[in-house]
mmCIF file of all heavy atoms in Angstrom:
data_model
loop_
_atom_site.group_PDB
_atom_site.id
_atom_site.type_symbol
_atom_site.label_atom_id
_atom_site.label_comp_id
_atom_site.label_asym_id
_atom_site.label_seq_id
_atom_site.Cartn_x
_atom_site.Cartn_y
_atom_site.Cartn_z
ATOM 1 N N ASP A 183 -20.388 -8.516 2.866
ATOM 2 C CA ASP A 183 -20.372 -9.859 3.466
ATOM 3 C C ASP A 183 -19.395 -9.969 4.624
ATOM 4 O O ASP A 183 -19.340 -11.008 5.273
ATOM 5 C CB ASP A 183 -20.093 -10.988 2.456
ATOM 6 C CG ASP A 183 -19.711 -10.511 1.086
ATOM 7 O OD1 ASP A 183 -19.985 -9.335 0.798
ATOM 8 O OD2 ASP A 183 -19.169 -11.302 0.304
ATOM 9 N N MET A 184 -18.597 -8.915 4.890
ATOM 10 C CA MET A 184 -17.747 -8.978 6.072
ATOM 11 C C MET A 184 -18.591 -8.934 7.341
ATOM 12 O O MET A 184 -18.155 -9.354 8.410
ATOM 13 C CB MET A 184 -16.775 -7.802 6.097
ATOM 14 C CG MET A 184 -15.532 -7.994 5.280
ATOM 15 S SD MET A 184 -14.391 -9.169 6.012
ATOM 16 C CE MET A 184 -13.673 -8.162 7.319
ATOM 17 N N GLY A 185 -19.793 -8.358 7.234
ATOM 18 C CA GLY A 185 -20.664 -8.305 8.403
ATOM 19 C C GLY A 185 -20.369 -7.137 9.322
ATOM 20 O O GLY A 185 -20.600 -7.201 10.525
ATOM 21 N N PHE A 186 -19.820 -6.051 8.752
ATOM 22 C CA PHE A 186 -19.575 -4.864 9.573
ATOM 23 C C PHE A 186 -20.269 -3.644 8.965
ATOM 24 O O PHE A 186 -19.812 -2.525 9.110
ATOM 25 C CB PHE A 186 -18.069 -4.596 9.715
ATOM 26 C CG PHE A 186 -17.350 -5.676 10.457
ATOM 27 C CD1 PHE A 186 -16.491 -6.528 9.798
ATOM 28 C CD2 PHE A 186 -17.553 -5.854 11.819
ATOM 29 C CE1 PHE A 186 -15.836 -7.537 10.476
ATOM 30 C CE2 PHE A 186 -16.905 -6.861 12.502
ATOM 31 C CZ PHE A 186 -16.045 -7.709 11.830
ATOM 32 N N GLY A 187 -21.352 -3.916 8.277
ATOM 33 C CA GLY A 187 -22.139 -2.800 7.762
ATOM 34 C C GLY A 187 -21.636 -2.202 6.465
ATOM 35 O O GLY A 187 -22.162 -1.193 6.010
ATOM 36 N N GLY A 188 -20.624 -2.803 5.853
ATOM 37 C CA GLY A 188 -20.145 -2.354 4.535
ATOM 38 C C GLY A 188 -19.822 -0.876 4.526
ATOM 39 O O GLY A 188 -19.304 -0.318 5.489
ATOM 40 N N ASN A 189 -20.178 -0.283 3.384
ATOM 41 C CA ASN A 189 -19.934 1.119 3.111
ATOM 42 C C ASN A 189 -20.394 2.057 4.228
ATOM 43 O O ASN A 189 -19.723 3.008 4.591
ATOM 44 C CB ASN A 189 -20.739 1.434 1.850
ATOM 45 C CG ASN A 189 -20.131 2.563 1.096
ATOM 46 O OD1 ASN A 189 -19.212 3.194 1.600
ATOM 47 N ND2 ASN A 189 -20.615 2.807 -0.086
ATOM 48 N N ASN A 190 -21.583 1.780 4.787
ATOM 49 C CA ASN A 190 -22.167 2.706 5.757
ATOM 50 C C ASN A 190 -21.584 2.548 7.146
ATOM 51 O O ASN A 190 -21.727 3.428 7.982
ATOM 52 C CB ASN A 190 -23.673 2.490 5.843
ATOM 53 C CG ASN A 190 -24.329 2.691 4.501
ATOM 54 O OD1 ASN A 190 -23.956 3.605 3.775
ATOM 55 N ND2 ASN A 190 -25.253 1.829 4.149
ATOM 56 N N GLY A 191 -20.957 1.418 7.389
ATOM 57 C CA GLY A 191 -20.384 1.206 8.706
ATOM 58 C C GLY A 191 -21.467 1.014 9.760
ATOM 59 O O GLY A 191 -22.579 0.577 9.463
ATOM 60 N N LEU A 192 -21.114 1.335 10.985
ATOM 61 C CA LEU A 192 -22.031 1.169 12.106
ATOM 62 C C LEU A 192 -22.424 2.551 12.619
ATOM 63 O O LEU A 192 -21.561 3.397 12.841
ATOM 64 C CB LEU A 192 -21.349 0.375 13.227
ATOM 65 C CG LEU A 192 -20.679 -0.931 12.800
ATOM 66 C CD1 LEU A 192 -19.939 -1.558 13.976
ATOM 67 C CD2 LEU A 192 -21.687 -1.908 12.230
ATOM 68 N N THR A 193 -23.719 2.757 12.784
ATOM 69 C CA THR A 193 -24.180 4.069 13.252
ATOM 70 C C THR A 193 -25.557 3.933 13.878
ATOM 71 O O THR A 193 -26.014 2.827 14.123
ATOM 72 C CB THR A 193 -24.168 5.102 12.107
ATOM 73 O OG1 THR A 193 -24.485 6.377 12.637
ATOM 74 C CG2 THR A 193 -25.133 4.749 11.004
ATOM 75 N N ASP A 194 -26.222 5.066 14.139
ATOM 76 C CA ASP A 194 -27.536 5.107 14.812
ATOM 77 C C ASP A 194 -27.466 4.536 16.218
ATOM 78 O O ASP A 194 -28.382 3.855 16.668
ATOM 79 C CB ASP A 194 -28.594 4.317 14.017
ATOM 80 C CG ASP A 194 -28.977 5.044 12.745
ATOM 81 O OD1 ASP A 194 -28.812 6.274 12.721
ATOM 82 O OD2 ASP A 194 -29.416 4.385 11.799
ATOM 83 N N PHE A 195 -26.353 4.810 16.897
ATOM 84 C CA PHE A 195 -26.205 4.266 18.243
ATOM 85 C C PHE A 195 -27.210 4.917 19.192
ATOM 86 O O PHE A 195 -27.594 6.073 19.020
ATOM 87 C CB PHE A 195 -24.790 4.525 18.772
ATOM 88 C CG PHE A 195 -23.722 4.045 17.836
ATOM 89 C CD1 PHE A 195 -22.651 4.856 17.510
ATOM 90 C CD2 PHE A 195 -23.791 2.770 17.271
ATOM 91 C CE1 PHE A 195 -21.662 4.417 16.647
ATOM 92 C CE2 PHE A 195 -22.806 2.329 16.415
ATOM 93 C CZ PHE A 195 -21.736 3.155 16.095
ATOM 94 N N LYS A 196 -27.623 4.159 20.216
ATOM 95 C CA LYS A 196 -28.591 4.693 21.186
ATOM 96 C C LYS A 196 -27.983 4.819 22.586
ATOM 97 O O LYS A 196 -27.908 5.902 23.115
ATOM 98 C CB LYS A 196 -29.819 3.780 21.265
ATOM 99 C CG LYS A 196 -30.426 3.439 19.923
ATOM 100 C CD LYS A 196 -31.394 4.512 19.449
ATOM 101 C CE LYS A 196 -32.184 4.030 18.272
ATOM 102 N NZ LYS A 196 -32.096 4.899 17.094
ATOM 103 N N ASP A 197 -27.560 3.681 23.140
ATOM 104 C CA ASP A 197 -27.151 3.684 24.538
ATOM 105 C C ASP A 197 -25.715 3.213 24.713
ATOM 106 O O ASP A 197 -25.228 2.412 23.928
ATOM 107 C CB ASP A 197 -27.994 2.682 25.353
ATOM 108 C CG ASP A 197 -29.428 3.116 25.445
ATOM 109 O OD1 ASP A 197 -29.697 4.282 25.124
ATOM 110 O OD2 ASP A 197 -30.249 2.262 25.821
ATOM 111 N N LEU A 198 -25.108 3.676 25.789
ATOM 112 C CA LEU A 198 -23.840 3.138 26.245
ATOM 113 C C LEU A 198 -24.009 2.841 27.720
ATOM 114 O O LEU A 198 -24.316 3.750 28.505
ATOM 115 C CB LEU A 198 -22.729 4.167 26.015
ATOM 116 C CG LEU A 198 -21.327 3.791 26.473
ATOM 117 C CD1 LEU A 198 -20.792 2.600 25.707
ATOM 118 C CD2 LEU A 198 -20.390 4.965 26.285
ATOM 119 N N LEU A 199 -23.911 1.588 28.094
ATOM 120 C CA LEU A 199 -24.113 1.162 29.485
ATOM 121 C C LEU A 199 -25.473 1.620 30.010
ATOM 122 O O LEU A 199 -25.620 1.964 31.185
ATOM 123 C CB LEU A 199 -23.003 1.721 30.387
ATOM 124 C CG LEU A 199 -21.633 1.081 30.195
ATOM 125 C CD1 LEU A 199 -20.575 1.852 30.956
ATOM 126 C CD2 LEU A 199 -21.651 -0.375 30.645
ATOM 127 N N GLY A 200 -26.457 1.651 29.139
ATOM 128 C CA GLY A 200 -27.803 1.991 29.560
ATOM 129 C C GLY A 200 -28.116 3.480 29.581
ATOM 130 O O GLY A 200 -29.248 3.877 29.831
ATOM 131 N N PHE A 201 -27.105 4.324 29.288
ATOM 132 C CA PHE A 201 -27.366 5.760 29.260
ATOM 133 C C PHE A 201 -27.430 6.248 27.818
ATOM 134 O O PHE A 201 -26.649 5.787 26.984
ATOM 135 C CB PHE A 201 -26.256 6.523 29.995
ATOM 136 C CG PHE A 201 -26.155 6.158 31.443
ATOM 137 C CD1 PHE A 201 -25.180 5.269 31.870
ATOM 138 C CD2 PHE A 201 -27.041 6.679 32.369
ATOM 139 C CE1 PHE A 201 -25.078 4.919 33.197
ATOM 140 C CE2 PHE A 201 -26.940 6.335 33.702
ATOM 141 C CZ PHE A 201 -25.966 5.454 34.123
ATOM 142 N N ASN A 202 -28.318 7.177 27.579
ATOM 143 C CA ASN A 202 -28.454 7.725 26.231
ATOM 144 C C ASN A 202 -27.150 8.397 25.797
ATOM 145 O O ASN A 202 -26.615 9.258 26.481
ATOM 146 C CB ASN A 202 -29.607 8.734 26.222
ATOM 147 C CG ASN A 202 -29.833 9.272 24.822
ATOM 148 O OD1 ASN A 202 -29.104 8.926 23.895
ATOM 149 N ND2 ASN A 202 -30.852 10.104 24.685
ATOM 150 N N ILE A 203 -26.704 7.978 24.611
ATOM 151 C CA ILE A 203 -25.396 8.438 24.149
ATOM 152 C C ILE A 203 -25.418 9.907 23.746
ATOM 153 O O ILE A 203 -24.396 10.571 23.678
ATOM 154 C CB ILE A 203 -24.957 7.522 22.993
ATOM 155 C CG1 ILE A 203 -23.449 7.449 22.919
ATOM 156 C CG2 ILE A 203 -25.530 7.975 21.685
ATOM 157 C CD1 ILE A 203 -23.002 6.263 22.129
ATOM 158 N N GLN A 204 -26.622 10.428 23.465
ATOM 159 C CA GLN A 204 -26.739 11.835 23.049
ATOM 160 C C GLN A 204 -26.833 12.770 24.246
ATOM 161 O O GLN A 204 -26.713 13.977 24.079
ATOM 162 C CB GLN A 204 -28.003 12.030 22.190
ATOM 163 C CG GLN A 204 -28.108 11.107 20.996
ATOM 164 C CD GLN A 204 -27.099 11.458 19.921
ATOM 165 O OE1 GLN A 204 -26.511 12.536 19.970
ATOM 166 N NE2 GLN A 204 -26.891 10.558 18.979
ATOM 167 N N ALA A 205 -27.091 12.202 25.419
ATOM 168 C CA ALA A 205 -27.373 13.064 26.566
ATOM 169 C C ALA A 205 -26.156 13.894 26.944
ATOM 170 O O ALA A 205 -25.006 13.478 26.748
ATOM 171 C CB ALA A 205 -27.814 12.213 27.755
ATOM 172 N N GLN A 206 -26.424 15.047 27.497
ATOM 173 C CA GLN A 206 -25.346 15.986 27.842
ATOM 174 C C GLN A 206 -24.381 15.355 28.845
ATOM 175 O O GLN A 206 -23.168 15.421 28.680
ATOM 176 C CB GLN A 206 -25.986 17.239 28.440
ATOM 177 C CG GLN A 206 -24.990 18.339 28.698
ATOM 178 C CD GLN A 206 -25.625 19.470 29.480
ATOM 179 O OE1 GLN A 206 -26.688 19.301 30.084
ATOM 180 N NE2 GLN A 206 -24.983 20.621 29.463
#
Side-chain angles (χ1 to χ4, degrees):
Chain A
D183 8 342
M184 277 288 283
F186 295 109
N189 207 352
N190 301 320
L192 310 175
T193 186
D194 288 336
F195 307 132
K196 310 275 192 235
D197 293 346
L198 178 64
L199 289 171
F201 298 100
N202 183 357
I203 208 162
Q204 306 289 346
Q206 186 189 17

